[in-house]
Structures are given as C-alpha cells and as structure tokens.
C-alpha cells in the first residue's frame, strides 16, 4: 500500500500574523515543485485567514490546531470546524497531548471534535500517545488502544479514508528526546493493526504520522519505517530551513 507521506508543522502558540505569513511564504515557495510529500502547516487561529490567503494556489495545506464540536451558539471563546473551513483549512489537529494535559481534554471530546471536523469537510489529525510513566509501566499499548477506541468510536470506512493519526509519545514532545525508529515503528505497527481491525482494508490507507522532536537529522530514519507515514513537527517547524529539511528527508 502506497501512502503519500504527510508532514505537518504545528506552530502551537508561536508567531503573530506577519511572522506566520512570512514563514508560510518561505514554505510555499520551497515546496512548489515537491509532489511526493503532502505538506501542511498549522498556525495559531488568528493567523489562519491570512496564511490561508497566502497559500492559495499552492500545494501546502492549512490546518487548525483544535476545533469545537458545535457549529455555532453561545460558546464563548470556541471556534467551530465550519469556521475553520471558511478560512481555508482542510485539516484540524484534535486531541494533541497539550490539549489533553492543560485543558483536560478526554477521548470523548476528541471523538466529538473529529466527527464535527468530518461533518464540516475537514480531515482530522487525531493525536494519541503515552506518557513516560505509562511507557515505563509497560502500559503503552493499552493506553494507545484506549485512546484510539475512544477517539474513533462510531467511525466507519468512509471516515477512515479521511483520517490521519499522529502517534506522539508525550515524553518525546519538545524534549529533544526522540523515540528511536524501532520504538516508534513498534507502536505504529500496533496502531496499523488496530485500524485494520476497525476499518478492514481502509485501515491500510490511513496515514500514521510520528511526532516528538522530529528534526532534519532524524527524519529520514523515522520516515523510512514501514508504518511511519509522516511527521507532526513542533519546534522544528518554526524555522523554514529546519522544516524544509524534514520535508526533503529523502534527499538528506
Ligand atoms: C508536537 O507538538 O506535536 C511536537 C511533536 O512537538 P516537537 O516536535 O517540538 O516535539
């Protein structure tokens, strides 16, 4: 099964509108001729519209970092999937470990968000990952399994075709401590197996991206693993050269 590698830069809470447009422009210009990798960037909410406009006509896709599950109403501070679509997003990250950790987001909420994203025509990037304590206690597979079950509850094959899963071990996010290719592939193969059980053949087409201190110098070995179909990149996505070094991992 050939899966087009998916590389997404998660800019988190960094960069104002002008800085975001500047970085998006550098990425857009460099990615122009690249067709064998799908490149996506996820700026802060306030920069989405301007970055979306700048990306028009390019192959770089726009993602949001979160969404709410209701379309509209009295939900102060929230942003719906429909509104994200309206400003040019085609993807949305849901269930990032920072949302789970700092905002108490549970799998049931991740599930509602992913469903709302699909209903609005967005493709959800569903994040899962174990903590250091869970890994040390031998609970990695149980944790990932529970997160997948809760987050993807009620999803059918049609939805599966639009999903991206991001495996992000929490102990590797922003720490400089990357999972070894072997450690990551072991979990990705487990996730693949689970996806095939839930979605049959469609499970084989779902891209599973790895996230956790991916950098230009470790991207290649990770992305060469059979079930690692891309990368969700935090810190290294904030500088054009670093991010592009990951996008061009094959030439590294
Ligand atoms: C992330 O936030 O999704 C991430 C993987 O961050 P970093 O690359 O900085 O570890």
């Amino acid at each position: 099964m050939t899966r087009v590698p998916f590389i997404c830069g998660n800019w988190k809470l960094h960069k104002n509108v002008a800085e975001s447009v500047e970085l998006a422009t550098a990425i857009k210009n460099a990615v122009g001729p690249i067709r064998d990798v799908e490149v996506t960037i996820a700026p802060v909410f306030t920069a989405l519209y301007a970055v979306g406009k700048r990306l028009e006509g390019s192959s770089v896709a726009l993602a949001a970092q979160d969404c709410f599950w209701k379309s509209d109403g009295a939900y102060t501070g929230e942003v719906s999937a429909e509104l994200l679509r309206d400003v040019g997003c085609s993807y949305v990250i849901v269930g990032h470990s920072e949302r789970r950790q700092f905002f108490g987001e549970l799998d049931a909420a991740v599930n509602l968000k992913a469903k709302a994203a699909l209903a609005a025509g967005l493709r959800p990037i569903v994040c899962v990952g174990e903590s250091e304590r869970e890994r040390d206690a031998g609970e990695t597979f149980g944790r990932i399994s529970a997160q997948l079950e809760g987050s993807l509850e009620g999803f059918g094959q049609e939805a599966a075709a639009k999903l991206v899963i991001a495996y992000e071990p929490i102990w590797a996010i922003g720490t400089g401590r990357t999972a070894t290719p072997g450690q990551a592939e072991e979990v990705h193969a487990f996730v693949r197996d689970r996806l095939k059980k839930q979605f049959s053949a469609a499970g084989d087409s779902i891209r599973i991206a790895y996230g956790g201190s991916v950098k230009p110098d470790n991207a290649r070995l990770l992305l060469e693993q059979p079930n690692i179909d891309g990368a969700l990149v935090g810190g290294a996505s904030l500088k054009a050269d670093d991010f592009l070094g990951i996008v061009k991992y094959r030439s590294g």
Side-chain angles (χ1 to χ4, degrees), residues 191-204 206:
V191 172
R192 172 81 54 218
D193 199 50
R194 292 270 332 195
L195 295 173
K196 286 208 270 197
K197 282 197 179 102
Q198 183 169 357
F199 301 116
S200 309
D204 221 15
I206 301 174

Side-chain angles (χ1 to χ4, degrees), residues 10 12 96 98 168 172-176 210-215 232-236:
N10 172 15
K12 310 193 185 193
H96 191 280
E98 286 153 14
E168 301 206 300
I173 296 181
T175 58
Y210 168 80
S213 298
V214 178
K215 307 214 162 24
L232 185 52
V233 186

